[in-house]
Structure formats: structure tokens, C-alpha cells
Amino acid sequence: MTTAQSSVPKAAPKFASIGSPYFGIMLAVMAVVLILSNIGASKGVVLGPIVTDGGFFLFPLAYILGDVISEVYGFKVARKAIITTFALSVFAAVCYWVIIALPGFDDDFGTAKQAALEGAIGPVPQIVLASLLAFFAGQTINSWILVRMKARTGEKSLWARIMSSSVAGEFVDTLIFCSIAASVIGISDFGTFANYVLVGFLYKTLVEFLFVPVTTLAIGWVKKREPSYGAPTQAA
């Protein structure tokens, strides 16, 4: 490589602005998925030797959407999406608390309904705390790694960016979430806790790996329909 060639500046990675409706749709779906996952996670689930929670089938979708947002719009926009989703989940938790605290009917049906609500969404605030801290840390790491890798590779090696960022993000997410939420869903011994962490990490990572082709197609679809994608004024 000649000196002239080595001095050529590397092209900046391409991103889009958030002026189109696609970002808003993905943000709304991400928030709904996280809120529903928080409710489902309050139930412990045992599938043979596997210990998990009721939100296990939903949460990977939030990370897939996070990958699409990070790749298409960049880290700054992804961070806005993470903070917005975080705030909406807090709002949902406050609503659960208000609903439980409101005085209800004192007949047998009202008492049973109150007990059912407390049992179903009463533990959710602690689950939300676990989920929010885990989601914020995991998604931030996931997005940061994906965007930094894109700065090096440009539009190439998308699959490698998705997989590498997913491993790091999902590990941090799972460890934080399980450490806080374990006691709420009834996990009290280390063996079961280790099972919970390992199964959660492997499951979420495997789902993201299996969905890499779908995520790649979704990213390509959005890129083609975002008129601002690749505009020189866009920044990570």
C-alpha cells in the first residue's frame, strides 16, 4: 500500500434520520414487547430441566428491533429508543401500582379480583427494575458494539456485527436481570440460579443467531425505504 493510498480517509458509516414513520413503529413495538415481557417474567416457568420465565419468548424481539435501529439509525438514535422504552416501562409499573392501590369492591368477587391482580402484577415493579437495568445496560452495549463495528466495516459483514454485539449484550442483560429477578419468581438456590442465567443467555443468543437472516432482511428492507439513509449529514 502506497503512502497516498494509506492517507485516504475511511468513508463514514451510513445512517438515516428519524423523520420517516419506520422508526416510530419500531420504537412502539419495542416498548410493548418490553412491557409485556416484564409482566410475563413475574411467572417462573419449568420446561423439563430448563428454568426460565413467562417472558422468554418475547424478549429476544426487543433485541432484534434494537439491532435494526442501531444499524439503520446509529447509536445516538438507538440510545433515544432505549431511554424512551425505559421511561414507558417505568410508567407502566406506576400504573400497576395505582391499579392495585385503588379501593375495590369488598364482596367475594372484588376480593378475589384484588388478590388475582396483586398476584399477577404485584411483583412486576421488582421485575421492571431488573428488566430496566438489564435492558438499559445490555441494549447500550449491543448498540455500541454494532455501531463501532460498522464504523470499521461499513456495509459489509452485517451478520458478524449482529452476532458479536448480541453475545455481549445478551450476557450482560441476562446476568443483571436474573440477579435481581430470581427471588421474585421463586429461585432461592445457586444451582437453580445458575440454570436460570445459563439457559436465559443461551436461549436469547440462540434466538438472535437463528433470526440473523430475518434481521438482515428487515435491515435491508428499512434501508431501502429510508430516503435519508446514507445522507452525509447523518451521524452515529
Side-chain angles (χ1 to χ4, degrees):
M1 180 180 294
T2 65
T3 304
Q5 289 175 322
S6 61
S7 62
V8 176
K10 184 184 298 184
K14 298 178 181 179
F15 296 104
S17 67
I18 56 176
S20 74
Y22 300 111
F23 171 75
I25 293 170
M26 288 188 285
L27 174 60
V29 175
M30 181 187 290
V32 170
V33 166
L34 183 61
I35 291 170
L36 291 177
S37 297
N38 292 340
I39 297 173
S42 64
K43 176 180 179 178
V45 173
V46 180
L47 301 171
I50 298 174
V51 177
T52 183
D53 57 63
F56 77 95
F57 67 97
L58 281 169
F59 195 74
L61 295 177
Y63 266 78
I64 292 171
L65 289 167
D67 287 339
V68 177
I69 291 173
S70 299
E71 173 68 21
V72 176
Y73 302 99
F75 180 69
K76 291 180 180 179
V77 174
R79 185 171 56 191
K80 290 179 181 178
I82 293 168
I83 293 172
T84 301
T85 304
F86 184 102
L88 290 172
S89 294
V90 171
F91 175 71
V94 171
C95 289
Y96 301 149
W97 177 80
V98 172
I99 291 169
I100 291 175
L102 288 172
F105 296 112
D106 57 3
D107 58 8
D108 291 342
F109 177 80
T111 302
K113 193 70 172 180
Q114 177 70 16
L117 281 172
E118 292 176 358
I121 62 177
V124 165
Q126 186 171 339
I127 294 292
V128 168
L129 174 63
S131 179
L132 290 180
L133 294 178
F135 177 81
F136 186 85
Q139 277 282 12
T140 300
I141 290 172
N142 178 74
S143 177
W144 186 85
I145 291 175
L146 191 150
V147 173
R148 293 284 75 81
M149 290 182 68
K150 184 175 183 179
R152 294 184 178 183
T153 62
E155 296 296 303
K156 300 178 181 179
S157 304
L158 174 58
W159 64 271
R161 293 197 292 277
I162 295 173
M163 296 176 74
S164 299
S165 61
S166 296
V167 170
E170 292 289 11
F171 177 76
V172 171
D173 183 293
T174 305
L175 183 61
I176 293 175
F177 178 82
C178 293
S179 298
I180 300 174
S183 61
V184 177
I185 68 171
I187 294 176
S188 57
D189 62 275
F190 180 77
T192 306
F193 172 75
N195 184 316
Y196 188 33
V197 173
L198 181 61
V199 168
F201 169 66
L202 292 177
Y203 166 75
K204 293 173 184 177
T205 304
L206 178 61
V207 169
E208 286 221 46
F209 282 8
L210 291 176
F211 273 82
V212 165
V214 177
T215 306
T216 302
L217 289 174
I219 288 172
W221 189 91
V222 176
K223 284 180 177 179
K224 289 180 180 179
R225 286 159 178 79
E226 276 289 6
S228 63
Y229 184 75
T233 54
Q234 304 308 316

